Amino acid sequence: MNLDWLDAFLVSGLFYVMMVIGLALLLHLQLGLARIANFGVVGFWGIGMYAFGVLFVKVDWPFGEVWAFLISVVFGTVVAGLAGLLVGWLIADLDIDGVLVGTLGFATAVWILATTEQDLTGGALGMGGLGFPYDIGSVKANETLWLVILTILVAIILYYVSRVHKSPYGRLLISIGDNEPLARSLGKAPFQTKLWLFAVSSAGMGLLGAMYGVNERFLETGNLGIDITLAAMVGLVLGSTTRMWGAAVGVALTVGLFDVVIQFYLPLPREWYTQAIPVLREMVFGGVLIIVLLFRPYGVLGDMRRDKLMRRMHGG
Amino acid sequence: MAGDHKDTAFAREPTRDSDGSRPRVRIQDAVKSFAGRVVVDVDDLTLGTHPIEGLIGPNGAGKTTLLRMIMHSISLDRGTVTLSSDGDGSEVVLSDLPAHRMARHGVVKTNQVITDFEKLTILDSLLLSVAKATDEWPYRIYREQGLYEDTVEGILWYLDRFEFEDPLGFAKSAGEKKLLDIIRCLLLKPRVLLLDEPTAGLPDDIRDQLMGLIDEKAAEENMAVVIVEHDLHVIWTMSDYVHFMAEGRVLLQGEPRSIREHDTVIEKYLGSGHV
């Protein structure tokens, strides 16, 4: 397949945008519906990425690489889910401050572990040896196919989230986020609900992390900073924390605009890319977050409209 | 205050006999303090020996705190709360259970202060109430239609009787929110229903209709009802038995007439002009 028309940087940029949309969608379930402000997104994403990478690279698999790859992806996803279960258990009964500190602390713990553990992760030096589970030709072709696979995965996440909105489970999440004591008085179990929510959404974040690791072919602890969490959080808040499309619209307007349009299409000086742009990006994202919270707290798309949804589902 | 009301639709002749199969809540040696001040101190109190019981007392008597202790939405400093039923011989120590398990055992309480899910519509709220835990697993993303079809009849039964401006929209007035709170609880099919000031904020006609319905359910569905209410007309006309609380203790128990005319109740609560 001739992909000369496609720029490798654009593929890489779109991969990042798509991945952040996936993370923001999962964060939407936590923050938008159940009102749990998870500031440790990168921790779950990173633990999935490293668990996958370590198993895939360090284990001498007796069978074919594709199977080793799939088992490692499942392992990374499950480990991230279990981490979500553990963190969920720790923070489920805490107030907003406690959740903030707990999730940030978890993300920091993952970063420290990945940095200081030399044998498994390669520490600060990083770890190579990852690759695509297929080879269809050029690097660009492989990366493009991986982007397509990621896009399908994010579309599945989007579909799942849209079904959650229309399901009793979504209603349960909203009720717990809205008025937990009242939900409890109706026999709902907030603790277990949050636990499962964290397990499922963290597993999804871990899977996205593993996919990112494959795309990069090299794991480095520099990826485990605040960037990923901030990108997902800012995108979601800008779009709308409570509406499903808020994640896609918000991330497109922030990460998409900055990491693809501005960096790819604007003729910026080459030396800016190493130092100035990453710093400027975090500043812009932080500024957007403050401005949105001050002037449009429900985001560009506004608050969720359960009345419209109920009329559509049960109004006939 | 009582005496100001004309006769209402739910007014009837008390008192009905107790039914041994009716579930009962027994509170033993239960104490709750806030900042060193004892708010509730109950030696031995059984609720539910009669279909409808009133729990009255002046402000600060500890009525709402006692109901919240039963629901375990606040913890007890000491003591036990037990749910028992001669009908099936079951006995459950409610004070050992987390708050969300109360509804599963059929013990349900309405809220004194108007409270609602701001992001859920009226229908949402009612569907939430009737949904079982098995309907709400993360993987049951296609369950909504089935849940709706299984439960809509029961929900419409209430919506036909009590008019909401827009059942597919949000509860707007305080009255609608109060009514919704009570219907949510009734949809749980409670065995013991604790009503904490159920008529506050309700228009008179809705109040009468609702209390009439609760009276019917108590009789027909073997439900034990406990009403905390400052509108004493509701207490005198609905209750089969009345408990009088003051300063955290249950001071008197008896039929409405005897409580209403008791010197202690007049002195501590009603005032001499009431009788």
Side-chain angles (χ1 to χ4, degrees):
Chain A
M1 187 166 43
N2 186 353
L3 294 172
D4 289 346
W5 56 274
L6 195 58
D7 191 284
F9 183 81
L10 183 62
V11 174
S12 171
L14 287 174
F15 187 91
Y16 189 77
V17 171
M18 201 53 74
M19 185 194 69
V20 176
I21 287 176
L23 290 173
L25 280 165
L26 296 166
L27 185 62
H28 157 72
L29 292 178
Q30 299 174 343
L31 178 62
L33 302 190
R35 310 309 291 171
I36 303 169
N38 177 7
F39 280 84
V41 170
V42 69
F44 302 105
W45 176 85
I47 212 165
M49 180 169 71
Y50 269 95
F52 157 76
V54 167
L55 196 70
F56 184 67
V57 173
K58 301 289 181 183
V59 174
D60 190 14
W61 293 94
F63 35 77
E65 194 162 303
V66 173
W67 282 107
F69 180 89
L70 290 174
I71 290 170
S72 301
V73 167
V74 171
F75 178 72
T77 307
V78 170
V79 169
L82 289 174
L85 211 58
L86 175 68
V87 174
W89 177 67
L90 290 171
I91 61 143
D93 282 339
L94 300 182
D95 59 11
I96 294 170
D97 299 345
V99 172
L100 172 68
V101 172
T103 51
L104 264 178
F106 166 72
T108 307
V110 171
W111 175 73
I112 291 172
L113 199 66
T115 307
T116 55
E117 168 52 54
Q118 295 289 329
D119 294 339
L120 286 175
T121 67
L125 295 174
M127 184 176 75
L130 300 173
F132 299 105
Y134 53 78
D135 187 1
I136 59 167
S138 66
V139 171
K140 193 197 289 181
N142 285 334
E143 287 186 349
T144 305
L145 180 57
W146 200 236
L147 170 63
V148 171
I149 293 170
L150 175 72
T151 305
I152 292 169
L153 173 67
V154 172
I156 292 170
I157 295 173
L158 185 73
Y159 179 72
Y160 175 75
V161 172
S162 80
R163 291 305 314 180
V164 166
H165 271 263
K166 296 171 186 166
S167 72
Y169 175 57
R171 187 179 291 118
L172 172 68
L173 293 181
I174 295 168
S175 74
I176 287 171
D178 192 345
N179 193 333
E180 189 171 321
L182 184 55
R184 194 180 286 124
S185 77
L186 296 175
K188 310 303 172 187
F191 185 82
Q192 286 91 327
T193 305
K194 289 179 186 177
L195 225 55
W196 279 111
L197 171 63
F198 249 76
V200 171
S201 48
S202 302
M205 290 172 182
L207 176 58
L208 290 168
M211 292 196 70
Y212 182 80
V214 173
N215 200 56
E216 295 294 301
R217 270 93 80 197
F218 190 84
L219 306 186
E220 52 181 332
T221 55
N223 288 322
L224 299 179
I226 192 72
D227 311 30
I228 293 280
T229 303
L230 192 62
M233 185 71 79
V234 171
L236 185 63
V237 171
L238 177 66
S240 168
T241 56
T242 59
R243 298 187 75 161
M244 182 186 73
W245 286 104
V249 170
V251 172
L253 286 175
T254 49
V255 183
L257 202 64
F258 206 92
D259 288 20
V260 177
V261 177
I262 292 177
Q263 292 199 45
F264 184 64
Y265 291 106
L266 288 190
L268 299 173
R270 185 167 291 276
E271 62 271 19
W272 285 21
Y273 286 91
T274 49
Q275 289 293 324
I277 285 184
V279 174
L280 188 66
R281 179 180 181 272
E282 305 311 320
M283 285 173 62
V284 170
F285 283 8
V288 167
L289 190 62
I290 292 168
I291 290 167
V292 170
L293 289 174
L294 278 176
F295 297 105
R296 198 168 168 84
Y298 289 118
V300 173
L301 299 183
D303 201 4
M304 73 167 78
R305 293 297 306 269
R306 288 295 294 185
D307 50 342
K308 281 189 175 175
L309 182 65
M310 292 307 283
R311 276 182 229 289
R312 214 163 51 235
M313 287 197 300
H314 303 305
Chain B
M1 291 295 288
D4 296 339
H5 290 275
K6 59 183 182 297
D7 284 342
T8 52
F10 61 84
R12 59 167 171 71
E13 281 298 315
T15 297
R16 291 170 290 193
D17 291 334
S18 63
D19 182 339
S21 66
R22 197 175 301 280
R24 290 187 298 276
V25 174
R26 188 171 182 194
I27 303 119
Q28 291 171 284
D29 192 26
V31 174
K32 182 66 192 177
S33 307
F34 291 113
R37 178 175 165 259
V38 176
V39 179
V40 169
D41 183 357
V42 172
D43 286 337
D44 194 346
L45 170 66
T46 302
L47 301 171
T49 51
H50 296 77
I52 298 181
E53 297 181 2
L55 181 59
I56 62 168
N59 285 333
K63 308 180 294 294
T64 293
T65 304
L66 180 62
L67 296 193
R68 293 182 66 198
M69 288 164 73
I70 294 170
M71 296 302 297
H72 213 180
S73 55
I74 55 173
S75 59
L76 284 71
D77 293 345
R78 68 159 196 263
T80 56
V81 179
T82 315
L83 172 71
S84 61
S85 171
D86 293 341
D88 57 12
S90 63
E91 186 164 295
V92 180
V93 181
L94 297 178
S95 46
D96 285 348
L97 299 177
H100 72 269
R101 294 276 296 277
M102 300 299 148
R104 294 184 198 174
H105 287 285
V107 182
V108 175
K109 175 183 160 298
T110 67
N111 293 287
Q112 179 191 30
V113 179
I114 289 169
T115 180
D116 192 19
F117 297 108
E118 297 298 329
K119 293 200 181 297
L120 294 181
T121 65
I122 291 168
L123 182 60
D124 259 328
S125 211
L126 300 177
L127 283 167
L128 177 76
S129 189
V130 294
K132 296 182 179 68
T134 51
D135 296 319
E136 295 170 329
W137 282 103
Y139 64 86
R140 300 209 71 183
I141 53 176
Y142 298 103
R143 178 65 189 130
E144 177 72 6
Q145 198 55 34
L147 173 69
Y148 182 76
E149 286 166 8
D150 292 348
T151 59
V152 69
E153 199 178 329
I155 289 173
L156 286 177
W157 192 89
Y158 286 100
L159 291 180
D160 287 344
R161 277 158 185 76
F162 299 98
E163 197 173 326
F164 287 91
E165 193 181 317
D166 178 13
L168 292 168
F170 299 97
K172 293 186 179 71
S173 65
E176 279 198 340
K177 289 179 181 179
K178 190 79 182 181
L179 184 59
L180 183 59
D181 186 36
I182 296 170
I183 294 176
R184 267 195 306 256
C185 290
L186 289 171
L187 278 169
L188 292 169
K189 296 187 168 47
R191 298 168 70 205
V192 177
L193 178 62
L194 310 175
L195 295 165
D196 198 352
E197 299 196 22
T199 69
L202 288 179
D204 288 354
D205 56 336
I206 302 288
R207 178 200 64 189
D208 293 348
Q209 197 184 349
L210 186 67
M211 289 299 140
L213 175 67
I214 286 167
D215 191 51
E216 273 174 40
K217 282 190 170 288
E220 292 167 9
E221 297 178 13
N222 213 28
M223 180 172 73
V225 178
V226 177
I227 306 176
V228 170
E229 182 60 67
H230 282 293
D231 182 348
L232 292 177
H233 176 70
V234 173
I235 296 292
W236 305 140
T237 51
M238 282 196 71
S239 305
D240 302 290
Y241 200 72
V242 174
H243 310 268
F244 174 70
M245 278 186 83
E247 293 154 13
R249 294 169 183 273
V250 179
L251 299 184
L252 290 167
Q253 294 169 301
E255 292 184 3
R257 184 179 295 276
S258 68
I259 295 294
R260 187 178 185 172
E261 294 170 355
H262 199 284
D263 289 345
T264 305
V265 178
I266 292 168
E267 180 197 338
K268 288 184 178 288
Y269 185 38
L270 300 177
S272 56
H274 176 77
V275 181

